[in-house]
Amino acid sequence: MSRVTINVRLHEVVIDCADPASLAEFWLRFTGYVKRYGDDDWVSIGAADDSVIIGFQRVPESKTVKNRLHLDFAAKDYEGTAREIEALGATRLWVGQDPKDAFVVLADPEGNEFCIVRDDT
């Protein structure tokens, strides 16, 4: 199979949710990102340099199964950071058991999974 090169860049990661404003507020509190746009059906947040943008889109259905895609956030003190995010409203789902691959799986207030991974840099 030949490889085709298409000139694109990742623009934004979008999370489906019931309440974009409140879910974006939760994510703003632990990422340090800033709000870029917001209305009743859509809120965008992003890093100060726009290197990462996350959108929250209102949808009528609730989440029912495990995400097929999730975000990983790196932190030197991944366990302490996970506890701080839990205090903001996240739920702890699982902790990795391999010390070489340390991470905590959390869910935001609407059940969307994300990980806090150990930052070894």
Side-chain angles (χ1 to χ4, degrees):
M1 174 175 16
S2 66
R3 184 174 145 137
V4 176
T5 303
I6 300 173
N7 188 17
V8 299
R9 67 176 179 82
L10 179 62
H11 172 69
E12 185 169 22
V13 174
V14 178
I15 298 174
D16 290 348
C17 59
D19 186 349
S22 94
L23 197 58
E25 183 59 35
F26 165 80
W27 285 73
L28 281 168
R29 291 170 62 199
F30 81 86
T31 61
Y33 294 170
V34 295
K35 185 174 178 180
R36 297 286 181 215
Y37 174 82
D39 64 27
D40 289 344
D41 295 321
W42 184 277
V43 176
S44 290
I45 67 173
D49 65 0
D50 281 334
S51 61
V52 176
I53 300 173
I54 303 172
F56 300 88
Q57 171 178 259
R58 182 181 307 279
V59 296
E61 67 278 355
S62 62
K63 180 180 174 298
T64 57
V65 297
K66 183 182 182 304
N67 294 14
R68 295 295 303 255
L69 172 95
H70 70 268
L71 304 178
D72 284 356
F73 295 91
K76 295 287 185 192
D77 178 8
Y78 75 97
E79 184 60 59
T81 299
R83 284 192 301 275
E84 290 175 14
I85 297 169
E86 286 177 279
L88 297 174
T91 302
R92 182 176 294 239
L93 299 179
W94 196 70
V95 177
Q97 302 302 307
D98 182 351
K100 295 177 187 171
D101 183 24
F103 64 94
V104 177
V105 180
L106 299 173
D108 71 18
E110 290 200 20
N112 301 296
E113 297 97 358
F114 62 98
C115 293
I116 305 301
V117 301
R118 183 179 60 213
D119 184 353
D120 289 330
T121 61

